[in-house]
């Protein structure tokens, strides 16, 4: 199965939808469902194929030094799976809430799915940049596409500004790479870069790291993130926090194993520091919020910090912990954003105080909020706890106790602010007007899927055989680039 | 190194320490469940469900905690037990519940970090002694649970404001989980620390308890004082130190549970916990009074109760370790114990000190509460009488229990305390406010945190110019750091 299809299908869908909206308005939601299903199927098949044995596709038959190569190795296929889950749930939720009407919105969703799949499977630095830009532009517009007009537009503008700065840094890094080596293929680069002048390598890795920090919303380059994630519609917020932020983390992981680890190991303490700062600042800022969605957005800043701590350990254990945290956060944060969205839609307010009693009228949502919040705080034995434990182990192994202390502080602060929300949701408020309780079976289904995902993630490390095989496989691909290089340019 | 899979394991062959603490956890949970039936809980159905989930969840994880084979499993079970107790407290007092959960999460976090370090250092996690370089992590983590001096700030407010069944479990078992960990840790390195901490706690708790008006707060400080006895036994360095600590904590669980139960009945029937107001009531029914007295006599160490045996064991252990001064200080703490219990009995149950004002009657207590208390009292008395009539049950001290050399040191603090209470009653009237404890100090510690949070808040002022400026600074910093190489 060629990875091309996983990119082309959603891309075609994005082009096809405007045509359908002109000639076949009646069939719009059906078409979206079918195209979404096709994209999902192709992505899943690609991911499965890449997990079994790495897939390589030379686009147009060109050799790696001239053309673009698409590579799906186990790391890519894990992220493809993550993207597929997130996009599928977003499509289901959006179709139920908005119907097929706003076709522009679905076009953007398909476009961003195509570019995300592209980023996960491309093996070429410049091609990565191009996909990154498609992805960013569609994300800016998705943020601005909301009913809360001026706030969303402002947030989209801020995102655009910061995204452009990040993209510029990325482009500069790519240009420097090309100038100093003459190659753009990632596998070829990892062999050519050691021969490049060290000063050039320092500058280009600096550019790439800054770009990724901005795009991933890491403190202190996170200023766009809380606005963007909170002003969008809840389904989009869930997608942004659950999947789209992880795209930058994938690129960071990939570049870390290919370039930074052998060439510029100084980046790792930097990433660790940034992770700790992000964690503390994100949690403290979340504590200060009175707007539920902003609170969750700041919590995302903190949780991305956890991933950075894992990467900053610069060890197989750290990379595995970072990957586990990526998945664990995706399940829990998407779930809590969707739950919060349903509560907010019902109560027509985002203020935590005004949501008082909202959980009492809708017990299932209250239970799911508590579940996802406990997973994010890291109460045992849920997945957040496991990822905290893995991160603690990995960071202590790398010889510093500071991240472990930050994790303890993070647990306390996050428990504090989630309890604040839960207390408000459960508080008895006499004489409150009945809330809007439109039944949303598909959205509830999505929540159940995410709860199941969290439970599977929770159970996984307790199955020794499976877990050992999985971590071995992952640390071999995420940590050791030689397999990747071999797959692309042959032995 | 690849990451080991996680596992939750129980000891294949649990020893006496684990088994007796597990048994205590089970017994306390069952008694509390019965007590709760009579005590009555919230009229709101979800609250009731939450409460019973908490109760039985606590029972399950409290039984599992001492049986856990490794530190990781123990931390997990302990944290889950804390969450279960949090649910119970949450149905009563939400602020207290949040405060309780946060302190326990902090303790579990330190313990988890210590566990991770232990694993990296030794490659195994078995519950037992740890290398001395890791002791600070473990002592910090377990010290919060066991309310070591300085880390005890959460205990008095939690114990006093929680619903009574939760207080019973808190004092009866929750603090013992931390003590259990300390028992497993105890080694020559920790002796001095434990002895010192134990004496500080025993005296500080007794002095604070003496001047409380709130019955449950009085009992909370009494718990700190009694935990001090246990720690002193652990730090004695004598051969019987760990046994004495184990038996003392078991006995304390039973009689302190009983005392909290009686405080709960007082609160329920008289609708106040304030000793100065309870004084205007008629004296309590003989049954309630008798059950209370069983607990009160045990805690003072009256011969024939479990308290007598365990206090004697602690003193024997200290004697073996040649700590004569420590024994004297503990006797002083014992004097304090007698005094604050006299205060609680006289003003709370006998309706003393009310003056000429007409006294109002007390409604009868629920029989199920009294039944639960009777079970606890029976266990206290039985465990006190059995070693007396069956010498050899606790080997080493056979036959010497009723000798004058044992009875006189046990009797002196009781007689001295009674005499002091009768001779200078005005000193112990429940008419003053709370003496400040460390709790307010710890809220002061939040101030720097608040300053940081305000600073961060100011940073997020919505000015894009400023944001871009920060971004530029970050970029320069990254380049600078990387160019250092």
């Amino acid at each position: 199965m060629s990875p091309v299809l996983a990119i082309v299908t959603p891309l075609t869908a994005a082009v096809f939808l405007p045509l359908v909206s002109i000639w076949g308005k009646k069939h719009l939601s059906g078409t979206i469902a079918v195209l979404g299903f096709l994209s999902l199927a192709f992505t899943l098949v690609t991911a499965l194929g890449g997990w079994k044995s790495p897939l390589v596709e030379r686009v147009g038959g060109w050799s790696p030094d001239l053309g673009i190569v698409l590579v799906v190795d186990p790391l890519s296929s894990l992220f493809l799976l993550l993207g597929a889950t997130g996009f599928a749930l977003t499509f289901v939720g959006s179709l139920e809430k908005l119907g097929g009407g706003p076709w522009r919105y679905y076009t953007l969703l398909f476009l961003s799915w195509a570019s995300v799949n592209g980023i996960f499977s491309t093996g070429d630095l410049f091609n990565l940049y191009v996909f990154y830009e498609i992805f960013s532009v569609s994300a800016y517009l998705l943020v601005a596409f909301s009913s809360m007009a001026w706030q969303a537009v402002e947030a989209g503008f801020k995102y655009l500004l910061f995204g452009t700065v990040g993209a510029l840094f990325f482009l500069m890094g790519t240009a420097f790479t090309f100038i100093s080596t003459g190659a753009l293929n990632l596998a070829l680069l990892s062999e050519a870069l050691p021969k490049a002048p060290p000063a050039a390598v320092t500058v280009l890795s600096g550019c790439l790291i800054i770009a990724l920090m901005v795009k991933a919303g890491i403190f202190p380059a996170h200023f766009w993130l809380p606005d963007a994630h909170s002003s969008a519609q809840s389904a989009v917020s869930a997608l942004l926090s659950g999947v789209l932020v992880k795209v930058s983390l994938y690129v960071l992981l990939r570049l870390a194993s290919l370039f930074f680890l052998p060439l510029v190991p100084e980046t790792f303490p930097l990433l660790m520091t940034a992770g700790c700062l992000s964690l503390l600042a994100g949690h403290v800022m979340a504590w200060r919020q009175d707007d539920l969605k902003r609170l969750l957005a700041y919590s995302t800043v903190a949780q991305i910090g956890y991933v950075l701590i894992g990467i900053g350990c610069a060890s197989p254990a750290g990379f595995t912990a970072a990957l586990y945290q990526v998945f664990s956060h995706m399940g829990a944060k998407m779930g809590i954003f969707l739950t919060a969205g349903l509560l907010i839609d019902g109560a027509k307010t985002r203020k935590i105080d005004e949501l008082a009693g909202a959980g009492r009228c809708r017990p299932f949502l209250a239970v799911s909020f508590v579940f996802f919040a406990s997973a994010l705080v890291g109460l045992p034995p849920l997945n957040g706890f496991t990822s905290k434990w893995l991160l603690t182990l990995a960071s202590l192994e790398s010889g510093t106790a500071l991240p472990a202390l930050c994790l303890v502080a993070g647990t306390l602060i996050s428990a504090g602010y989630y309890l604040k929300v839960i207390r408000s949701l459960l508080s008895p408020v006499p004489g409150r007007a009945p809330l809007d309780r439109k039944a949303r079976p598909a959205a509830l289904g999505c929540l159940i899927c995410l709860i199941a995902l969290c439970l599977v993630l929770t159970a996984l490390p307790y199955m020794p055989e499976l877990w050992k095989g999985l971590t071995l496989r992952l640390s071999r691909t995420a940590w050791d680039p030689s397999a990747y290089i071999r797959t692309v340019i042959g032995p | 190194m690849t990451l080991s899979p996680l596992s939750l394991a129980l000891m294949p062959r649990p020893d006496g320490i684990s088994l007796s603490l597990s048994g205590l956890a089970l017994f306390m949970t069952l008694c509390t469940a019965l007590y709760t039936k009579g005590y009555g809980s919230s009229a709101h159905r979800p609250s009731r469900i939450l409460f019973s989930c908490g109760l039985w969840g606590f029972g399950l994880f409290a039984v599992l905690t001492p049986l856990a084979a490794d530190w990781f499993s123990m931390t997990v079970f302990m944290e889950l037990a804390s969450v279960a107790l949090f649910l119970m407290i949450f149905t009563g007092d939400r602020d207290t519940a949040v405060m309780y959960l946060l302190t326990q999460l902090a303790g579990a976090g330190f313990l988890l970090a210590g566990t991770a370090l232990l694993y990296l250092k030794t490659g195994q996690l078995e519950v037992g002694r740890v290398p001395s370089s890791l002791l600070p992590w473990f002592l910090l983590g377990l010290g919060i649970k066991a309310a070591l001096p300085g880390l005890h700030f959460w205990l008095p407010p939690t114990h006093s404001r929680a619903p009574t069944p939760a207080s019973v479990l808190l004092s009866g078992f929750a603090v013992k989980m931390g003590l259990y960990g300390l028992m497993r840790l105890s080694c020559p390195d920790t002796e001095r620390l434990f002895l010192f901490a134990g004496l500080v706690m025993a005296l500080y708790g007794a002095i604070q308890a003496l001047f409380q008006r709130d019955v449950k707060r009085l009992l909370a400080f009494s718990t700190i004082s009694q935990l001090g006895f246990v720690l002193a036994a652990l730090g004695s360095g004598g051969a019987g130190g760990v046994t004495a600590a184990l038996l003392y904590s078991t006995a304390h669980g039973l009689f302190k549970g009983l005392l909290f139960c009686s405080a709960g009945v007082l609160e329920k029937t008289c609708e106040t916990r304030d000793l100065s107001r309870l004084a205007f009531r008629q004296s309590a029914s003989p049954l309630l009074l008798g059950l209370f007295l069983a607990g009160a006599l045990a805690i003072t160490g009256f011969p024939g109760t479990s308290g007598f045996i365990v206090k004697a064991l602690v003193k024997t252990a200290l004697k073996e370790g040649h700590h004569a001064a420590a024994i004297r200080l503990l006797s002083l703490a014992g004097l304090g114990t007698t005094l604050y219990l006299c205060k609680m009995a006289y003003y709370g149950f006998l309706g003393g000190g009310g003056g000429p004002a007409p006294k109002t009657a007390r409604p009868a207590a629920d029989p199920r509460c009294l039944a639960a208390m009777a079970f606890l009292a029976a266990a206290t008395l039985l465990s006190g009488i059995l070693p007396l009539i069956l010498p050899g049950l606790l080997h080493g001290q056979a036959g010497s229990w009723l000798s004058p050399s044992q009875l006189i040191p046990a009797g002196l603090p009781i007689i001295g305390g009674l005499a002091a209470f009768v001779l200078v009653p005005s000193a112990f009237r429940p008419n003053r406010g709370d003496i400040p404890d460390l709790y307010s100090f710890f809220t002061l510690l939040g101030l720097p945190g608040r300053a940081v949070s305000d600073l961060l808040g100011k940073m997020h002022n919505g000015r894009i110019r400023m944001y871009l400026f920060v971004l530029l600074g970050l970029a320069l910093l990254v380049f600078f750091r990387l160019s250092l190489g």
Side-chain angles (χ1 to χ4, degrees), chain A residues 157-158 161-162 165 169 202-203 205-207 209-210 213-214 219-223 266-267 269-270 281 284-285 287-288 298 316-317 320-321 360 377-381 385-386 388-390 392-393 396-397 401 404-405 408 411-412 415-416 419 423 426-428 461-462 464 467-468 471-472 475, chain B residues 1-8 44 47 50 72 75-76 79-80 83 86 90 94-95 97-98 101-103 105-106 109-110 112-117 119-120 125 137 449-450 452-460 462 464 466-468 470-472 474-479 481-485:
Chain A
F157 176 70
K158 219 182 254 180
L161 213 63
F162 275 81
V165 173
F169 273 108
T202 308
V203 171
S205 46
C207 284
I209 284 197
I210 295 162
M213 277 171 91
V214 177
F219 183 86
H222 68 286
F223 294 101
E266 307 88 68
T267 48
L270 202 70
V284 169
M285 282 308 292
W287 167 267
R288 291 176 62 89
Y298 274 111
T320 317
R360 290 210 165 198
V377 170
L379 290 188
F385 173 74
T386 310
K388 254 182 4 192
W389 165 247
L390 294 179
T392 310
L393 260 181
L396 289 173
E397 189 197 9
L405 289 176
V408 175
T411 308
L412 291 189
L419 277 171
R423 280 179 68 168
L426 297 182
S427 68
Y462 292 93
W467 177 246
K468 240 181 193 142
T471 46
L472 221 65
S475 57
Chain B
M1 188 197 83
T2 52
L3 290 169
S4 73
L6 304 182
S7 62
L8 296 177
H44 183 234
S47 294
L50 214 60
F72 178 75
T75 313
V76 170
E79 206 168 335
L80 285 171
V83 172
F86 159 78
F90 193 72
R94 295 183 166 197
D95 289 321
V98 170
L101 186 69
L102 291 185
T103 49
L105 280 180
F110 289 122
L112 206 64
T115 308
L117 276 172
Y119 181 70
L120 295 171
L125 282 176
W137 293 93
R450 176 148 303 218
V452 170
S453 143
D454 286 343
L455 188 74
L456 275 173
K458 262 189 205 134
M459 226 172 116
H460 293 74
I464 292 184
M466 207 276 294
Y467 293 171
L468 288 175
V470 171
L471 188 58
L472 199 69
L474 171 75
L476 287 176
L477 215 70
V478 168
F479 281 123
R481 173 72 188 78
L482 288 183
S483 64
L484 285 181

Side-chain angles (χ1 to χ4, degrees), chain A residues 224-244:
Chain A
W224 59 270
L225 191 145
D227 284 345
H229 286 207
S230 60
S231 308
Q233 301 188 30
S234 296
V236 176
S237 303
L239 188 71
L240 282 166
S241 265
V243 179
L244 300 189

